[in-house]
């Protein structure tokens, strides 16, 4: 694996020797929930790799490809605000939702919860496009198609920043300087793997830290399971 420093950011090259594609996103608000806080929604101070993948897949995605985030640049200072949000505690299982066999009564199961969100955010996402063995095109074709869609402002669905109520604007990267953010974030979700062999997806995590406005994402995380709710012992 080789790396190269581009505009002060150390980037991994792909197996083919290419630098990552770059997409810039921004929004009035964001909520990248920390998973260890169950009741109140508290955002990480910066965008997570899984949220970045969600933005990219909203712009362009095919079944034979996936994104691997390399780095996320923070372009605006971290500013927080609190709101109260309506949520439902009644969630239908996926099988019942697909069949339409059970109605979710949101009015009867509505909960109000506090959320600590981020205000006025902007990021530059650096990510590699990886293709599966059954792909019928070279990886360069998928990268070029992503770039064309970013330039045109095309997307399959409106990207959002952690939660659907906080929509994201996206575009070609510009020369906006990075914010002076340096912070030890703690354990952050790296990626989610759904292989269809078990009901629960496999999750990888990593120790995240922002240095000079850059969150560097390792190639692989450490696979850990979230604690199971219930009494200890």
């Amino acid at each position: 694996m080789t790396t190269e420093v581009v505009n002060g950011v150390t980037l991994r090259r792909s197996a083919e020797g290419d630098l990552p594609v770059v997409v810039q996103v921004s929004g009035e608000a964001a909520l990248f929930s920390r998973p260890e806080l169950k009741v109140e929604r508290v955002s990480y101070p910066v965008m997570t790799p899984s949220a970045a993948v969600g933005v990219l897949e909203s712009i362009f995605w095919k079944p034979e490809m996936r994104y691997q985030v390399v780095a996320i640049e923070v372009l605006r200072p971290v500013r927080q605000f609190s709101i109260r949000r309506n949520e439902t505690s009644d969630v239908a299982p996926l099988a019942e939702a697909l069949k339409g066999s059970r109605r979710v009564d949101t009015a009867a199961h509505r909960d109000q919860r506090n959320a600590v969100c981020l205000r006025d955010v902007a990021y530059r996402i650096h990510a590699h496009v990886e293709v599966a063995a059954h792909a019928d095109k070279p990886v360069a074709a998928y990268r070029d198609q992503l770039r064309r869609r970013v330039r045109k402002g095309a997307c399959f669905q409106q990207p959002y920043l952690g939660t659907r109520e906080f929509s994201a604007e996206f575009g070609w990267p510009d020369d906006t300087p990075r914010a002076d953010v340096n912070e030890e974030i703690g354990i952050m979700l790296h990626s989610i793997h759904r292989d269809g062999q078990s009901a629960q997806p496999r999750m990888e995590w990593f120790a995240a830290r922002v240095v000079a406005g850059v969150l560097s994402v390792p190639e692989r995380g450490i696979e850990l399971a979230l604690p199971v709710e219930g009494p200890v012992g």
Side-chain angles (χ1 to χ4, degrees), residues 143-155:
R143 284 200 306 267
D144 291 343
Q145 192 164 352
L146 171 65
R147 292 186 177 115
R148 287 195 299 270
R149 293 181 66 86
V150 171
R151 285 189 182 276
K152 293 189 300 182
C155 59

Side-chain angles (χ1 to χ4, degrees), residues 22-39:
V22 189
V23 179
Q24 194 157 306
V25 298
S26 61
E28 295 181 355
L31 175 56
F32 310 115
S33 297
R34 301 191 73 113
E36 68 269 26
L37 302 175
K38 296 289 186 180
V39 178

